[in-house]
């Protein structure tokens, strides 16, 4: 069964600290993996998109890694800011019958405290 | 420089009523997606449009759900005879809809703010 699991479910850190969010998936055939940031009451915003051949991709203070062999990804946030407080969603895409399907994780809720 | 817009932002309805949700994609985006986000659940794909046609309707949960897109732009998602389990945030996203397998594979989807539907 195609699944995406994220951990931890929630996380609280102090401003300025780093943190790493995890995403494990059992999706096949793998197409790409995306990380989104979703502020409360808003739609998700894309942070990174990685295909099979990419191991790491950065977007400012956000760095995503992908290990296609172990089917794991991580999102590392450096020098966290209060505005990083949000849900972070991992999405894995696979191809099926000529279209792309998307499996969403339930997200990690990050709270950054001053 | 408008992004994806959705209306209404909130909708409260009684069980058994029909509701219509609207999505205005980014101008020039030919691909449009509808998703549902229930409390405590991950986003769930509903339907995908390329232009006015829907090559993938596999996510629609029942025949009470339908969607259409006209003029390659605005899309409406209709839920007939709403049930309490339909309560959720309905999100719309659009993307360029580029031709070519690789381009389509890695296209960024831009999401709207969602419509929060509550069925009493």
């Amino acid at each position: 069964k195609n699944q995406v699991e994220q951990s931890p479910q929630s996380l609280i850190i102090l401003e300025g600290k780093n943190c790493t969010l995890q995403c494990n998936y059992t999706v096949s055939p793998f197409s790409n993996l995306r990380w989104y940031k979703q502020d409360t009451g808003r739609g998700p915003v894309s942070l990174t998109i990685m295909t099979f051949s990419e191991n790491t991709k950065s977007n400012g203070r956000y760095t995503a890694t992908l290990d296609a062999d172990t089917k794991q990804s991580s999102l590392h946030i450096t020098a966290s800011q209060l505005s990083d407080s949000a849900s972070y969603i991992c999405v894995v895409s696979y191809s099926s019958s000529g279209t792309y399907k998307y499996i969403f994780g339930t997200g990690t809720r990050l709270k950054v405290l001053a | 420089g408008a992004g994806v817009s959705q209306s209404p932002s909130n909708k409260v309805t009684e069980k058994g009523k029909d509701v219509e949700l609207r999505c205005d994609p980014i101008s020039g985006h030919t691909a449009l997606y509808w998703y549902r986000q229930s409390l405590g659940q991950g986003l769930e794909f509903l339907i995908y449009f390329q232009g006015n046609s829907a090559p993938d309707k596999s996510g629609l949960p029942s025949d009470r759900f339908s969607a259409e897109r006209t003029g390659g732009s605005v899309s409406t998602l209709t839920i007939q005879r709403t049930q309490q389990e339909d309560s959720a945030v309905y999100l719309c996203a659009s993307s360029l809809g580029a031709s070519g397998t690789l381009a389509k594979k890695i296209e960024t989807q831009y999401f709207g703010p969602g419509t929060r539907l509550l069925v009493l």
Side-chain angles (χ1 to χ4, degrees):
Chain A
K1 182 181 176 183
N2 289 321
Q3 281 187 315
V4 174
E5 294 187 355
Q6 293 187 243
S7 62
Q9 198 170 33
S10 61
L11 181 63
I12 300 174
I13 62 173
L14 293 176
E15 186 179 15
K17 298 296 186 183
N18 303 336
C19 67
T20 300
L21 314 180
Q22 299 290 345
C23 173
N24 296 342
Y25 61 93
T26 56
V27 177
S28 182
F30 176 86
S31 173
N32 60 77
L33 185 145
R34 303 163 185 242
W35 282 95
Y36 285 92
K37 177 187 178 189
Q38 185 175 22
D39 292 314
T40 301
R42 312 288 286 271
V45 174
S46 180
L47 295 175
T48 62
I49 303 174
M50 287 187 292
T51 58
F52 185 88
S53 59
E54 295 174 291
N55 301 117
T56 184
K57 186 165 276 191
S58 291
N59 178 358
R61 294 179 296 102
Y62 302 102
T63 300
T65 65
L66 174 64
D67 186 334
D69 292 330
T70 61
K71 299 188 176 181
Q72 296 180 323
S73 176
S74 66
L75 180 69
H76 186 75
I77 304 175
T78 304
S80 60
Q81 300 177 358
L82 297 179
S83 59
D84 292 332
S85 296
S87 285
Y88 291 83
I89 302 170
C90 174
V91 187
V92 180
S93 173
Y94 67 100
S95 59
S96 172
S97 304
T99 65
Y100 289 103
K101 307 267 188 195
Y102 300 92
I103 306 294
F104 289 76
T106 54
T108 291
R109 287 180 191 75
L110 173 66
K111 180 72 174 174
V112 180
L113 300 177
Chain B
V4 178
S5 60
Q6 292 185 244
S7 61
S9 53
N10 293 281
K11 177 72 178 179
V12 181
T13 190
E14 292 179 346
K15 178 182 171 181
K17 301 284 189 186
D18 298 351
V19 295
E20 206 170 82
L21 312 180
R22 177 186 167 110
C23 172
D24 280 89
I26 292 172
S27 177
H29 280 194
T30 62
L32 186 146
Y33 308 78
W34 282 100
Y35 297 93
R36 178 168 72 173
Q37 188 172 32
S38 302
L39 193 63
Q41 306 287 322
L43 272 79
E44 175 189 0
F45 166 80
L46 298 178
I47 187 169
Y48 155 61
F49 286 93
Q50 180 58 49
N52 290 337
S53 63
D56 190 352
K57 306 179 184 179
S58 62
L60 294 177
S62 76
D63 59 8
R64 296 186 295 104
F65 288 72
S66 63
E68 64 174 17
R69 189 178 185 196
T70 54
S73 182
V74 172
S75 175
T76 54
L77 176 69
T78 301
I79 309 173
Q80 294 178 309
R81 305 180 302 282
T82 52
Q83 303 293 313
Q84 288 181 331
E85 61 262 28
D86 298 335
S87 297
V89 177
Y90 289 82
L91 289 158
C92 172
S94 71
S95 66
L96 275 172
S99 60
T101 302
L102 179 60
K104 191 181 297 295
K105 184 176 180 176
I106 58 173
E107 271 192 354
T108 295
Q109 294 182 23
Y110 297 87
F111 283 81
T115 292
R116 283 151 196 78
L117 174 66
L118 177 61
V119 182
L120 300 175

